[in-house]
């Protein structure tokens, strides 16, 4: 597989990384396309199959695992599997675009290890775990139990931040958006100039 660049945004759930990724996708000059992950979890809110995720059964997911179809996969929460299909990156690179991922920290670092040159790995840090809890409660899309599961995982995820290329502090959204745009733009340009050399 070869082609464009890979931009990974990873962070604990509720840190605002999805908002940042959506903002970046609107910037046409960055030429980004969202990597749609496959997941065995059920759709939430107004999520749509083939747009937010490829919603597949646990059986289908395990079949893909066995066939080696994933670039990376994780059981992010118990019985909830998420993964990036190799065909997804191929699809986007074939369009002549750069891939942007909204995936968990383990998956993000795995992609960085597989494609060290092409990948920009960014960790989005929320102001605090307490603030995360407030945001997840406001979202009202998950049960109390699911929120607690996500919070418990957040501290472990926060500890991986130093392994990323950059950390963006998301306390003031406007600043985080500007910083993200800047980082991605620089990564894409750096690549273009090194390819021209
Ligand atoms: P959610 O259920 O909130 O959509 O996602 C839960 C977590 O799984 C988030 O941290 C999200 O970024 C992550 N995730 C989504 N897709 C993938 C994927 O393909 N691979 C991995 N490793 N994590 C993913």
């Amino acid at each position: 597989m070869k082609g464009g660049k890979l931009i990974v945004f990873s962070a604990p759930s509720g840190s605002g990384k999805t908002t940042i990724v959506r903002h970046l996708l609107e910037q046409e000059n960055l030429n980004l396309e969202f990597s749609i992950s496959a997941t065995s979890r059920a759709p939430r809110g107004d999520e749509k199959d083939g747009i937010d995720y490829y919603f597949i059964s646990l059986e289908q997911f395990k079949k893909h695992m066995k066939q080696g179809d994933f670039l990376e996969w994780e059981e992010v929460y118990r019985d909830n599997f998420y993964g990036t299909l190799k065909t997804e990156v191929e699809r986007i690179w074939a369009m002549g675009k750069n891939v942007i991922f909204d995936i968990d920290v383990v998956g993000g670092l795995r992609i960085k290890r597989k494609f060290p040159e092409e990948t920009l790995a960014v960790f989005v840090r929320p102001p605090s775990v307490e603030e995360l809890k407030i945001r997840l409660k406001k979202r009202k899309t998950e049960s109390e139990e699911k929120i607690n599961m996500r919070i418990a995982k957040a501290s472990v995820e926060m500890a991986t931040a130093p392994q990323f290329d950059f950390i963006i502090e998301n306390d003031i959204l406007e600043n985080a958006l500007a910083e993200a745009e800047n980082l991605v733009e620089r990564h894409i340009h750096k690549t273009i100039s090194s390819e021209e050399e």
Side-chain angles (χ1 to χ4, degrees):
M1 268 194 320
K2 64 180 173 71
K5 294 304 142 219
L6 305 173
I7 317 289
V8 168
F9 274 80
S10 296
S13 182
S15 62
K17 74 174 179 303
T18 304
T19 310
I20 296 176
V21 168
R22 285 200 185 128
H23 171 81
L24 292 170
L25 281 163
E26 285 168 9
Q27 313 309 309
E28 282 180 17
N29 62 317
L30 300 178
N31 195 29
L32 299 172
E33 186 75 16
F34 182 63
S35 166
I36 305 167
S37 296
T39 183
S40 66
R41 83 149 163 78
R44 205 169 58 201
D46 60 359
E47 287 177 335
K48 301 224 168 20
D49 183 45
I51 293 178
D52 301 284
Y53 280 107
Y54 298 116
F55 292 103
I56 60 175
S57 66
L58 191 55
E59 290 70 36
Q60 278 174 302
F61 200 100
K62 291 192 169 162
K63 200 173 155 199
H64 281 306
M65 278 162 56
K66 272 205 197 107
Q67 291 173 178
D69 295 339
F70 287 114
L71 200 53
E72 62 78 35
W73 63 267
E74 280 300 310
E75 184 176 11
V76 179
Y77 303 107
R78 199 147 73 92
D79 291 334
N80 282 358
F81 289 77
Y82 299 78
T84 307
L85 289 161
K86 290 175 184 166
T87 49
E88 189 59 12
V89 174
E90 285 161 359
R91 174 182 79 83
I92 297 170
W93 277 354
M95 292 162 77
K97 293 189 141 193
N98 303 300
V99 190
I100 186 161
F101 301 87
D102 173 343
I103 65 178
D104 93 314
V105 295
V106 181
L109 291 171
R110 193 161 282 157
I111 288 189
K112 176 76 191 174
R113 274 198 301 275
K114 282 197 176 167
F115 299 97
E117 293 304 314
E118 293 87 344
T119 309
L120 170 74
V122 183
F123 185 92
V124 182
R125 186 158 53 200
S128 65
V129 173
E130 205 38 53
E131 175 65 23
L132 268 192
K133 203 167 189 167
I134 294 166
R135 290 185 192 177
L136 285 174
K137 283 194 170 155
K138 263 199 207 145
R139 200 156 87 175
K140 289 197 177 108
T141 48
E142 283 115 323
S143 63
E144 183 79 21
E145 187 203 341
K146 291 232 166 103
I147 289 177
N148 289 338
M149 194 164 83
R150 282 168 188 258
I151 294 299
K153 194 161 183 198
S155 318
V156 179
E157 290 170 325
M158 300 274 249
T160 67
Q163 297 177 54
F164 283 76
D165 297 323
F166 289 98
I167 300 172
I168 291 183
E169 209 73 56
N170 188 13
D171 46 359
I172 300 165
L173 184 63
E174 287 70 34
N175 295 353
L177 295 179
E179 202 182 337
E181 233 179 288
N182 209 345
L183 285 175
V184 174
E185 208 170 344
R186 275 198 342 240
H187 179 67
I188 288 169
H189 284 156
K190 181 184 86 185
T191 308
I192 291 167
S193 59
S194 66
E195 275 173 358
E196 279 171 355
E197 276 165 13

